[in-house]
Every structure is written in C-alpha cells, then in structure tokens.
Amino acid sequence: MRKYWAIFKISWQNTLVYRFNILMWRIRMMVAFLGIYFFWGAVFSQQVQFAGYSRPDMIGYLLIVFFLQYLVIGNDSFNIAMEIANGDLNNYLLKPLSYFSNWSARDWALKLLNLILCFAEATVLIIVFKLPVFTPNSLGTVFLFTAVAVLAAYLYFFFSFLFSSFSFWYPEHDGWPLRFLMLMFLEFFAGTAFPLDIFPQPITAVLKWLPTSYLIYFPAQIYLGRLGAGEIIQGLVIMLLWLGVLAWLSRVVWKKGLQIYGAYGR
C-alpha cells in the first residue's frame, strides 16, 4: 500500500509542475460551464418551468455537475493508451506493482487537485453571477452522494481503462480517435449538459439501464433530492452491476492485449 501512496504523492507533485496546463484546463471548464449556464438562462427567460425543472433547480443541477465533472471525468488515465502505443508500458511490466492500482493512485492525485480548484472556481461563479446554491436536507444525503460519486469515479476509470486497452490492437495516433468518440458519447449520455429526465419517459427508461447514466446524472439527482428510496436502491444495484462488469471486462481485455503486445516504439 505504501508504494501506491508514494505514487500518489509523486503524481501530485508532477501535476503541479505543469501550472500553465492546469490554468488552461480550468479556463476551459469555466467557459464550458458559462456556455451551458447562458443557454439555460435563455430557455428560462421565456418560461418558468421546463421538463419539471425551475431555473433554480437547473442551476443547482449545473453546479453539482460542475463538481462531478472534476471528480468523475477529470482523470489522467487517457495516458494508458499512449503508454501502450508508444511502448512505454515496458517500464511497468517488470515492476512489482499492479498497473491498475498504479493508475488509480495517479488518477486520484489529479482528482484531489481538481476538487480543491473546483471549490475555488465554484465560489467565484456563485459570487459573480449570484447563483442559487442548493444544500441537501440531511447529512445522510451528503454521505450517500459522496459514496455514489466515488463509485461513479471508479466506473469512469474502468470505462477509460477498457477503451485505452484497445490500443493493443489499434495503436495509431496513440489511441486518441477511439478515446475521443468515447468522451463524446459518455459526456452526452452522462447528463453533463442537461438532466437526462428531460427526454420523453420511454427514452429515460432506457437510459437508466445504461452505465453512462450513473456517471453524472444519478449522483446529481441524489444530491438534489429528486429520487425516492426505491429509485435510489434500484439505481445503486444497476450501478454496482455495471461496475463489476466493467472491472471484469477491463481485466479480460487487458490480459488479452498483453498476449499480443509487441512493445512498438521501444
């Protein structure tokens, strides 16, 4: 365990070295948030309610999504595909450590930094734009939201690891084309720009069975108190099932990939 704690600390220090990259990523995220915020502002300038959401409800949703994007989607694991494609994976295969645990430690170092900066940025946005802040009505909701958000982070991690592993078969361009398609698909169906229940009920009923719904939308709905006990239990069961399936698939594809790994570039 100590070696992964050491990896966590080294990754934290390495991330702080690239301060300009951090700044540009922060600006990108804030610009993206403001674009969505002004879009929904225009929608609610014409009506009081939209698909069961008032303006404060929607702003509350967008703010919690802003937080969840840093925790869940913000990660460093896209470099897995690059390490496979460039042959840098050789540096790890002979070392006495788990490649999964290594990347998990590196991922959480970045996530912790993201969360610290997220709180600062959200405070600025709330003050400048006078955004309404939604707080859960009980500590139980806060603890449940925190647990589900951590599970969502691991769900995305296994998604990312699985797609990155396809670089064993398609190493062109460091696996970026496939990863780009994955990001576009996941972000749309995760509910980053809008809550998924604005779709017609039949579509929403299908989406709740997809793992993407449990990355952003499901944790956000728990925080906002928009789900009943039965819906939360059902959602947790589906989420845990997908977590198990993706963890298993990641390891299966990883082992298959290692069997054909040619260490190209080395």
Side-chain angles (χ1 to χ4, degrees):
M1 192 65 187
R2 284 185 296 178
K3 57 188 172 186
Y4 299 114
W5 173 243
I7 291 171
F8 176 91
K9 291 191 291 184
I10 293 171
S11 298
W12 170 273
Q13 294 165 359
N14 287 343
T15 302
L16 292 176
V17 169
Y18 302 100
R19 296 182 179 87
F20 183 73
N21 288 354
I22 294 173
L23 175 63
M24 295 308 296
W25 179 254
R26 301 281 82 78
I27 292 174
R28 174 191 176 279
M29 293 297 290
M30 292 186 74
V31 169
F33 173 84
L34 289 176
I36 297 171
Y37 167 73
F38 287 123
F39 168 78
W40 284 110
V43 171
F44 284 104
S45 67
Q46 305 295 324
Q47 52 196 321
V48 177
Q49 291 275 332
F50 182 85
Y53 287 83
S54 65
R55 183 180 182 278
D57 291 338
M58 189 62 73
I59 299 304
Y61 179 84
L62 295 179
L63 280 173
I64 198 62
V65 166
F66 185 68
F67 167 82
L68 286 168
Q69 282 184 295
Y70 280 116
L71 175 63
V72 176
I73 297 178
N75 73 95
D76 202 29
S77 58
F78 63 88
N79 285 316
I80 295 171
M82 296 175 60
E83 288 185 346
I84 294 171
N86 296 334
D88 291 335
L89 180 60
N90 294 0
N91 299 330
Y92 302 93
L93 294 181
L94 300 179
K95 293 179 180 178
L97 54 80
S98 163
Y99 195 68
F100 276 83
S101 300
N102 164 61
W103 271 103
S104 180
R106 293 166 68 173
D107 235 17
W108 281 103
L110 179 63
K111 289 180 189 300
L112 179 59
L113 177 62
N114 280 342
L115 291 179
I116 293 171
L117 295 174
C118 173
F119 282 114
E121 294 162 15
T123 300
V124 171
L125 289 170
I126 290 168
I127 293 173
V128 172
F129 293 96
K130 299 180 174 59
L131 304 181
V133 178
F134 180 89
T135 54
N137 53 15
S138 71
L139 279 177
T141 301
V142 175
F143 288 132
L144 177 61
F145 164 76
T146 303
V148 171
V150 171
L151 289 176
Y154 276 107
L155 189 65
Y156 186 84
F157 174 76
F158 286 119
F159 251 122
S160 180
F161 202 103
L162 178 61
F163 275 83
S164 295
S165 296
F166 285 111
S167 287
F168 284 118
W169 292 272
Y170 306 103
E172 289 80 8
H173 306 291
D174 297 333
W176 174 245
L178 183 61
R179 184 171 183 83
F180 177 78
L181 290 175
M182 180 200 79
L183 285 172
M184 294 299 99
F185 176 81
L186 289 185
E187 290 203 20
F188 182 82
F189 288 104
T192 56
F194 49 81
L196 298 179
D197 56 354
I198 69 171
F199 287 117
Q201 199 279 328
I203 297 177
T204 303
V206 172
L207 290 176
K208 77 175 183 180
W209 292 99
L210 300 180
T212 51
S213 300
Y214 299 91
L215 297 172
I216 301 293
Y217 172 74
F218 182 64
Q221 295 297 80
I222 289 177
Y223 182 87
L224 297 172
R226 294 179 64 90
L227 299 178
E231 293 173 299
I232 292 174
I233 293 171
Q234 183 188 51
L236 281 172
V237 170
I238 296 173
M239 186 181 196
L240 289 172
L241 285 173
W242 274 115
L243 190 60
V245 168
L246 288 171
W248 174 76
L249 274 177
S250 297
R251 293 186 181 277
V252 169
V253 173
W254 176 255
K255 289 178 181 179
K256 292 288 186 182
L258 286 178
Q259 294 174 4
I260 64 164
Y261 179 55
Y264 301 112
R266 287 286 177 178

